Every structure is written in structure tokens, then in C-alpha cells.
């Protein structure tokens, strides 16, 4: 079995891991906040569905 | 309009396409950064932090903050909620990307500079100040209830905070003896071939991600505005109804009726 020798693995996992986790969680929170709020506003007032404001 | 016709999402065809492009792009960037590109002669594999740290910084400094500045200036000029909501969305994304820039910079700095943080470093300090200013902007927005006052004052704060980008950008040149941070690798032409391509692709993907997030965050702000407006309208209607009821009661009062008959 071949192993890939890589330096600074801990730093790379931390840096890339934190970045992907933060961006992923923030994206999920945006979608969930949007879904929760969308149910409280009529579709006619959601400009991305109906632009007649 | 009935509740059943509501579409419970801030997504649209555009955001679906952008979201797909981001997921695909991040996967490609990950493979390029860890499999295809070679380690650096000096930094070795720690150089792979470059492919997320610099794109995050570029988005924070040159997309979120200019978007915040333009939206705030337009909010002051046009005095519309559309621009105010856009500014708030840009500021929130600014906090996310500026925060990521600081965190990835700290993690990258430890193996390369042998320190997590250097308080005397002007690039680090000005970036931290920008991050705190954006946090302060968001905190201020939450503390003011009146939408007009909030929009006007927060726009001024945002315009002042935005000027800090110039300091962040110039810090490695103006204070070159007081910074561990290197100058732009891109301007100095130290990137070649696959490293340059991976960096360019990562920056593009981060930029597309910014637009995806910006659209969703703006729509959230718009929905909050609509709910706020509906709440105010309902309160006004209730007040009018109670005022009418009080008037009707006063008119139908026996003493007034008697007075009216005489």
C-alpha cells in the first residue's frame, strides 16, 4: 500500500476543514432561514417569484 | 393569496444553477489543490492553504465590502429598503469571509512564520479591525428599531468601515518593515501553471459562492421586511378598527342620542 507523504497535515485539515464547515453550515442556515420565512409571506410578495411589486 | 400558494424557499432556478456550479467547482479545486499541484520548495505542503486563504480574502475585501459600500451609498441617495437590505446582506457575508480569512491566515501563519498571530503586523491588524467593524455594523443594525433611522445611520457606519479596505490592501507596501505578510504573489508573478490555474479557479468558485449566498441572504432580508411591514399594517388596521368601534359606541351612547334628539 502506498502512502502519500504530506507535510503540515494537521494545519491543512484544520484550515480546509474549518473553511468547508463554516461555508457549509452558513449555506444550510441561509436555506433554512429562507424556508422558514417564505411560509409567512404570500408568494405574490416574493419578488423572485412575482416581480409585480 | 392563500397559504397553500406560498413557495417555502428563497431558491430559484438561478440559485440552483449557481449552487450546482459551486459544489462542482469546490470538488475540482479540492482535487487540484491536493492531488494535481506540487508542494512548494520552501513552504512544502503548507502552500495548499493558499488556495482557500487568498480567495476568501479576495471575496471579503473586493466583493463584500465594495458591495456594502455601494449599497450603503445608494441607500443614502435613493432612500429605499432594497439598497438597505442589500447592504445588510453584504455585511453579513463580509463577516463570514473576513472571519475565514483571519482563521485560515492564523493557521497558515503558524508553520510558516512560527507564530499564530503578530499584533505588530499591520496587515493582520487592519484585517481584524475590518472584521470587528463589520460585526459592529451588524450589531448596530440589531439595536435600532426604526427602519429609516437604521438604514441612514448604518449606511454612514458602513461607508466609514469600507475605507479600511484601502489600508488592508496597502499595508504590506506602506508598512513593509512592519509586516510578516508577504506581498501579492500574483503581482510578483510567483505563480505558474497549475498553481496559478488552481488559485484562479478557486477564486472564481468563491466568487460564484458569494453571489449564491448574496441572493439568498438578500431574499431573507426582503422576507423579513415584508413580515415587518405586514405586522405594522395589521397593527394600524387593528388600531383603526378599535377607533371606529369606540366612535360607534360613543355615537350610540344614550346621553349623546338624547342630546342629538333635543
Amino acid at each position: 500500500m502506498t502512502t502519500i507523504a504530506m507535510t503540515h497535515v494537521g494545519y491543512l485539515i484544520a484550515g480546509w476543514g474549518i473553511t468547508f464547515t463554516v461555508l457549509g453550515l452558513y449555506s444550510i442556515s441561509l436555506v433554512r432561514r429562507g424556508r422558514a420565512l417564505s411560509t409567512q409571506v404570500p408568494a405574490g410578495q416574493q419578488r423572485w417569484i412575482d416581480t409585480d411589486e | 393569496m392563500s397559504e397553500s400558494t406560498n413557495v417555502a424557499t428563497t431558491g430559484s432556478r438561478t440559485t440552483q444553477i449557481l449552487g450546482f456550479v459551486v459544489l462542482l467547482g469546490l470538488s475540482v479545486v479540492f482535487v487540484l489543490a491536493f492531488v494535481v499541484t506540487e508542494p512548494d520548495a520552501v513552504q512544502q505542503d503548507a502552500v495548499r492553504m493558499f488556495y482557500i486563504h487568498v480567495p476568501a480574502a479576495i471575496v471579503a475585501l473586493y466583493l463584500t465590502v465594495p458591495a456594502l459600500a455601494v449599497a450603503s451609498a445608494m441607500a443614502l441617495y435613493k432612500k429605499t429598503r432594497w439598497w438597505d437590505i442589500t447592504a445588510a446582506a453584504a455585511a453579513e457575508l463580509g463577516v463570514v469571509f473576513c472571519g475565514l480569512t483571519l482563521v485560515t491566515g492564523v493557521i497558515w501563519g503558524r508553520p510558516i512564520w512560527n507564530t499564530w498571530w503578530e499584533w505588530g503586523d499591520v496587515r493582520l491588524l487592519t484585517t481584524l479591525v475590518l472584521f470587528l467593524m463589520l460585526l459592529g455594523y451588524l450589531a448596530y443594525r440589531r439595536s435600532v428599531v426604526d427602519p429609516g433611522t437604521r438604514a441612514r445611520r448604518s449606511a454612514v457606519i458602513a461607508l466609514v468601515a469600507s475605507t479600511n479596505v484601502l489600508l488592508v490592501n496597502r499595508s504590506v507596501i506602506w508598512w513593509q518593515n512592519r509586516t510578516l505578510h508577504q506581498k501579492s504573489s500574483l503581482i510578483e508573478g510567483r505563480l505558474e501553471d497549475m498553481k496559478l490555474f488552481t488559485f484562479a479557479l478557486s477564486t472564481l468558485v468563491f466568487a460564484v459562492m458569494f453571489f449564491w449566498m448574496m441572493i439568498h441572504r438578500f431574499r431573507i432580508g426582503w422576507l423579513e421586511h415584508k413580515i415587518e411591514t405586514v405586522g405594522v399594517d395589521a397593527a394600524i388596521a387593528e388600531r383603526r378598527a378599535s377607533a371606529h368601534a369606540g366612535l360607534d359606541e360613543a355615537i350610540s351612547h344614550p346621553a349623546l342620542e338624547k342630546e342629538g334628539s333635543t
Side-chain angles (χ1 to χ4, degrees):
Chain A
M1 190 177 133
T2 49
T3 53
I4 301 168
M6 192 177 275
T7 63
H8 309 103
V9 175
Y11 297 107
L12 290 171
I13 291 172
W16 280 74
I18 288 171
T19 302
F20 275 46
T21 304
V22 167
L23 292 175
L25 289 177
Y26 182 66
S27 300
I28 291 168
S29 84
L30 283 178
V31 172
R32 290 183 71 171
R33 278 159 75 189
R35 281 184 182 166
L37 291 168
S38 290
T39 56
Q40 299 174 48
V41 177
Q45 293 190 6
Q46 297 179 31
R47 292 173 69 135
W48 49 99
I49 298 168
D50 182 4
T51 53
D52 297 334
E53 200 33 58
Chain B
M1 198 170 281
S2 67
E3 188 74 16
S4 61
T5 57
N6 285 3
V7 182
T9 179
T10 46
S12 59
R13 188 80 180 151
T14 307
T15 58
Q16 284 172 355
I17 293 167
L18 289 179
F20 177 74
V21 168
V22 168
L23 287 176
L24 186 68
L26 283 177
S27 307
V28 174
V29 165
F30 186 82
V31 172
L32 288 174
F34 282 93
V35 180
V36 179
T37 56
E38 294 291 320
D40 185 65
V42 179
Q43 296 194 16
Q44 298 176 313
D45 286 299
V47 78
R48 301 184 201 282
M49 289 294 293
F50 176 79
Y51 306 119
I52 49 169
H53 171 73
V54 182
I58 287 174
V59 169
L61 296 175
Y62 308 121
L63 284 180
T64 64
V65 177
L68 171 65
V70 170
S72 298
M74 290 304 288
L76 282 175
Y77 178 62
K78 294 277 187 183
K79 295 182 177 60
T80 61
R81 287 300 300 277
W82 196 96
W83 286 110
D84 181 48
I85 293 167
T86 305
E92 192 173 293
L93 294 192
V95 167
V96 171
F97 283 99
C98 201
L100 280 178
T101 305
L102 286 167
V103 170
T104 53
V106 162
I107 294 170
W108 193 12
R110 182 68 182 87
I112 303 305
W113 300 337
N114 204 30
T115 181
W116 296 102
W117 186 264
E118 182 59 51
W119 283 107
D121 190 303
V122 184
R123 169 61 69 88
L124 271 57
L125 208 58
T126 48
T127 309
L128 178 65
V129 168
L130 178 67
F131 175 72
L132 293 175
M133 279 178 153
L134 292 173
L135 269 183
Y137 170 89
L138 291 179
Y140 180 77
R141 287 189 67 90
R142 291 174 78 98
S143 69
V144 182
V145 178
D146 179 56
T149 310
R150 180 176 60 208
R152 200 169 52 251
R153 291 183 183 172
S154 58
V156 174
I157 294 170
L159 287 172
V160 172
S162 302
T163 57
N164 194 26
V165 168
L166 181 69
L167 287 179
V168 178
N169 178 276
R170 297 284 92 188
S171 57
V172 288
I173 297 165
W174 290 348
W175 293 281
Q176 56 182 321
N177 296 328
R178 285 188 57 192
T179 183
L180 291 169
H181 202 285
Q182 65 186 54
K183 291 177 188 169
S184 171
S185 302
L186 202 60
I187 291 170
E188 292 184 348
R190 280 187 282 166
L191 287 177
E192 291 174 346
D193 304 333
M194 280 314 293
K195 283 181 183 170
L196 181 62
F197 177 74
T198 306
F199 161 71
L201 183 68
S202 183
T203 305
L204 184 67
V205 171
F206 269 65
V208 175
M209 195 187 328
F210 161 78
F211 285 110
W212 181 88
M213 288 176 170
M214 191 70 189
I215 292 169
H216 275 285
R217 184 59 189 83
F218 171 83
R219 288 172 179 173
I220 287 169
W222 184 258
L223 290 172
E224 286 170 344
H225 161 59
K226 284 294 170 188
I227 291 165
E228 199 177 74
T229 312
V230 167
V232 171
D233 288 348
I236 291 169
E238 193 181 334
R239 191 67 184 263
R240 278 186 182 148
S242 63
H244 280 299
L247 195 63
D248 291 343
E249 194 182 326
I251 289 168
S252 61
H253 195 274
L256 282 174
E257 278 180 351
K258 192 179 176 184
E259 192 178 312
S261 64
T262 54

